Amino acid sequence: MSIVESLSPRAIAAPESGIVEVVNYARGRQGLLPLWVGEGDLPTPDFISRAAIDALASGETFYTWQRGIPELGRALSDYYVRHFSVCLPAEHFYVTGSGMQAIQICVQALTSPGDEFVYLTPAWPNIAAALEIAGARSVGVTLQFEGGKWTVDLDRIEAAITPKTRGIFINTPSNPTGWTATKKDLGDILALARKHDLWIMADEIYACYYFAGGRAASFLDVMEPDDKIVFVNSFSKNWSMTGWRVGWIVAPPEMGQVLENLIQYSTSGVAQFMQKGAVAALDQGDDFVRANIAKAARSRDILCDALIATNRVETLKPDGALYAFLKIDGVTDSRRAAIDIVDKTGVGLAPGTAFGAGGELFLRACFLRDPGQIAVAAERLCDYIVKL
């Protein structure tokens, strides 16, 4: 038996990320315009970095609260008052080592091996992988795509529910499709969860990236205090902190000890000096976030208008999130197309094959970049597309 064969079957079965595969293929090429991963082109702003540096310099390097420092709990509570118009005391918040760990912690808390969890696809691949690695089964329900627009079919969700189903994972605004649930959509999904006594895991990381103005609809707008909903989120997108790996969970206080225990036996908490940076992000970062959203809106328009004008791309401007999900005439293998595009144009896109059922014919482009760079990327892509 080989070394690999002697490992856990669940570990061996963990899939390689189709996004990372393309990134590793072309990382570091001269003149590359990397639109393949979900991050912007700006480093973390100085007011956030300075808060972390000052905390580090003052010796805040010891073990800390499992659920997060009290200052960060207070800052998160204030943030939800400002942006979601809800008053959630600090005991609802749990700081994690990234949004990805927030998902892992919730998966561990909500599922046992053999359980099923329904999610909407095409989807960021990490949710399905997190469920499968934990021994649960991920059950994808495909969004409908027609006329460049994605919609959800509640009957399809209900048809996927079995006696083994423990919950429904909902990411809105969606990565990669840009599908953004209406308040009615969320109310209908919540009613379905109540009917079948299911948990909802709500990924609302892109809630502020809603291009109609304000923020996108949230389960916080429709839920009651006793509803079985946990929220996962991250500092990555809003505040240009992807490399920091700091996220949070919003959950009923009754879950507190369970979540703290799961954090203890994974990372034992997020470094305190990094949490001080996160406090600064929440307390001082609203203007920075607004500027990021405005930039994303301009770049979305530049990219989508150019691609749609080729008459070879089926898509609409997404209502939310950071991605154009493109169906290009003549592309039948998006993985091979992503490699070909990066070789011939120097533009890095993520293949739709990485996002599961329904995404196979698509390519994803992240437009949270300088509009000038996006204009160059759009020109290169259009030239490639019209020659297909």
Side-chain angles (χ1 to χ4, degrees):
M1 180 181 293
S2 71
I3 291 292
V4 172
E5 289 172 335
S6 68
L7 299 177
S8 159
R10 278 185 285 174
I12 295 171
E16 178 184 13
S17 167
I19 305 169
V20 174
E21 179 191 10
V22 180
V23 172
N24 288 340
Y25 172 76
R27 188 194 299 270
R29 292 193 188 184
Q30 187 172 4
L32 179 73
L33 290 172
L35 311 186
W36 39 32
V37 296
E39 65 180 354
D41 55 341
L42 293 179
T44 303
D46 182 68
F47 69 90
I48 298 174
S49 298
R50 178 53 54 189
I53 291 168
D54 289 348
L56 183 61
S58 66
E60 296 186 41
T61 58
F62 295 93
Y63 290 133
T64 187
W65 285 264
Q66 311 288 265
R67 68 165 57 218
I69 60 176
E71 291 169 77
L72 186 47
R74 182 269 309 159
L76 283 164
S77 182
D78 292 346
Y79 175 80
Y80 275 79
V81 169
R82 293 197 309 275
H83 293 281
F84 293 86
S85 301
V86 295
C87 183
L88 297 173
E91 57 264 29
H92 286 79
F93 299 100
Y94 307 85
V95 181
T96 59
S98 74
M100 183 65 241
Q101 194 199 23
I103 290 172
Q104 289 178 317
I105 293 292
C106 289
V107 166
Q108 291 170 9
L110 303 183
T111 69
S112 299
D115 287 342
E116 296 176 355
F117 224 89
V118 172
Y119 71 103
L120 302 180
T121 180
W124 183 49
N126 292 34
I127 175 57
L131 287 162
E132 299 286 342
I133 291 170
R137 179 171 173 258
S138 58
V139 179
V141 173
T142 308
L143 291 165
Q144 295 176 292
F145 181 73
E146 186 174 355
K149 187 174 181 62
W150 297 88
T151 58
V152 65
D153 185 333
L154 201 70
D155 291 337
R156 290 189 183 187
I157 296 178
E158 186 157 29
I161 295 171
T162 76
K164 293 184 178 180
T165 304
R166 285 282 290 162
I168 307 170
F169 178 90
I170 299 292
N171 168 219
T172 174
S174 164
N175 173 12
T177 63
W179 169 74
T180 302
T182 65
K183 188 174 178 180
K184 182 181 184 305
D185 290 332
L186 298 181
D188 290 344
I189 292 168
L190 178 55
L192 187 62
R194 289 169 176 164
K195 174 182 175 181
H196 294 276
D197 192 25
L198 302 178
W199 279 93
I200 289 175
M201 193 189 313
D203 179 350
E204 298 185 351
I205 187 172
Y206 301 104
C208 291
Y209 286 92
Y210 180 57
F211 303 113
R215 62 157 173 84
S218 165
F219 278 106
L220 291 166
D221 300 325
V222 297
M223 68 182 291
E224 298 296 334
D226 59 348
D227 281 320
K228 294 164 63 174
I229 303 180
V230 292
F231 298 82
V232 294
N233 217 312
S234 170
F235 286 87
S236 291
K237 317 297 182 180
N238 284 354
W239 299 278
S240 296
M241 295 173 67
T242 51
W244 288 60
R245 317 312 300 138
V246 184
W248 74 87
I249 297 168
V250 185
E254 295 90 334
M255 296 175 64
Q257 193 59 56
V258 172
L259 296 179
E260 286 195 37
N261 292 346
L262 292 173
I263 292 169
Q264 164 64 29
Y265 300 126
S266 54
T267 58
S268 297
V270 174
Q272 185 162 313
F273 61 90
M274 293 171 65
Q275 293 190 58
K276 286 296 183 68
V279 171
L282 293 166
D283 285 352
Q284 304 172 43
D286 283 357
D287 287 343
F288 178 81
V289 175
R290 280 190 285 267
N292 249 354
I293 295 165
K295 179 171 73 172
R298 292 195 301 273
S299 293
R300 176 199 68 156
D301 291 348
I302 291 168
L303 180 63
C304 292
D305 286 345
L307 294 173
I308 292 169
T310 66
N311 292 318
R312 300 286 306 278
V313 176
E314 189 177 358
T315 191
L316 294 176
K317 295 179 185 179
D319 294 328
L322 303 174
Y323 311 100
F325 207 44
L326 315 169
K327 187 178 182 183
I328 302 171
D329 287 351
V331 170
T332 57
D333 182 340
S334 62
R335 177 186 173 277
R336 185 170 63 183
I339 297 294
D340 191 48
I341 288 170
V342 78
D343 282 341
K344 293 180 178 176
T345 73
V347 178
L349 302 179
T353 50
F355 301 96
E360 297 88 350
L361 301 180
F362 292 79
L363 292 145
R364 190 195 72 175
C366 177
F367 48 70
L368 184 57
R369 300 187 73 82
D370 177 82
Q373 292 184 25
I374 292 295
V376 173
E379 182 178 359
R380 294 182 189 179
L381 289 170
C382 289
D383 183 63
Y384 174 88
I385 289 166
V386 298
K387 292 176 180 176
L388 284 176

